[in-house]
Amino acid sequence: MPLLGMQSYDKAAVAIKKHDVSIAKNYLAEDEIKLLGLLVEQYLAFAEAMAQQRTPMYMADWIKRLDTIIQMNGRQLLNHAGKISHEKALEKSAQEYSKFRETQKQLEYEESLKELERDIKDLKKQSPKK
């Protein structure tokens, strides 16, 4: 799978790093990232309003408010911990990254052989015939 299914990552970097594959938001499409940003903005705006009003908030309050913001945006709440632990997800991403790197190494090797063949052909063309 190209780029390990990642939609977004540090494109300024030359290559995908192992760390990149363990960041969940790298697998979000552009519109999903935009939505995530909007949800965070709404949550922070609410937090700022509570702070300015000096309204005491407890962790349970923050959880309820976040759930409300998510639901107001038409999103479904995740009401369970999921089927895959964080550790298992990291392990799987590391395995997939290893496979990806091996494939990349093979492609780089093949490309270097092709480049070498081209260089040899160019040298043969340039050398005077005896």
Side-chain angles (χ1 to χ4, degrees):
M1 176 180 289
L3 303 178
L4 294 160
M6 291 194 304
Q7 302 289 317
S8 166
Y9 65 97
D10 183 5
K11 303 220 178 7
V14 176
I16 294 173
K17 304 278 189 267
K18 187 174 183 179
H19 174 73
D20 294 330
V21 300
S22 66
I23 299 172
K25 72 176 182 175
N26 284 344
Y27 296 91
L28 297 176
E30 187 176 342
D31 60 330
E32 293 170 317
I33 289 175
K34 203 174 260 185
L35 176 63
L36 178 61
L38 290 171
L39 289 170
V40 169
E41 281 180 36
Q42 291 171 16
Y43 192 64
L44 292 176
F46 169 75
E48 187 174 349
M50 293 296 99
Q52 283 197 350
Q53 295 172 41
R54 301 187 189 282
T55 303
M57 296 286 289
Y58 301 97
M59 193 55 75
D61 299 324
W62 288 112
I63 293 168
K64 280 189 224 169
R65 298 299 181 161
L66 179 58
D67 287 352
T68 300
I69 289 170
I70 290 171
Q71 289 174 320
M72 281 186 346
N73 281 278
R75 310 310 287 177
Q76 195 172 9
L77 291 178
L78 181 64
N79 57 11
H80 55 79
K83 298 176 185 170
I84 300 172
S85 71
H86 180 67
E87 291 77 24
K88 290 269 187 207
L90 289 177
E91 186 179 305
K92 175 69 173 168
S93 68
Q95 290 170 355
E96 293 301 317
Y97 178 77
S98 293
K99 289 180 201 174
F100 172 77
R101 281 303 304 145
E102 286 304 314
T103 302
Q104 291 303 106
K105 284 180 187 177
Q106 183 63 33
L107 291 172
E108 288 168 7
Y109 175 73
E110 290 170 8
E111 185 55 39
S112 67
L113 285 179
K114 288 177 186 175
E115 189 177 327
L116 186 58
E117 287 173 357
R118 286 191 297 269
D119 289 347
I120 290 171
K121 282 182 184 178
D122 288 347
L123 283 174
K124 284 182 179 180
K125 288 178 185 176
Q126 292 174 5
S127 65
K129 295 186 179 181
K130 294 180 183 180

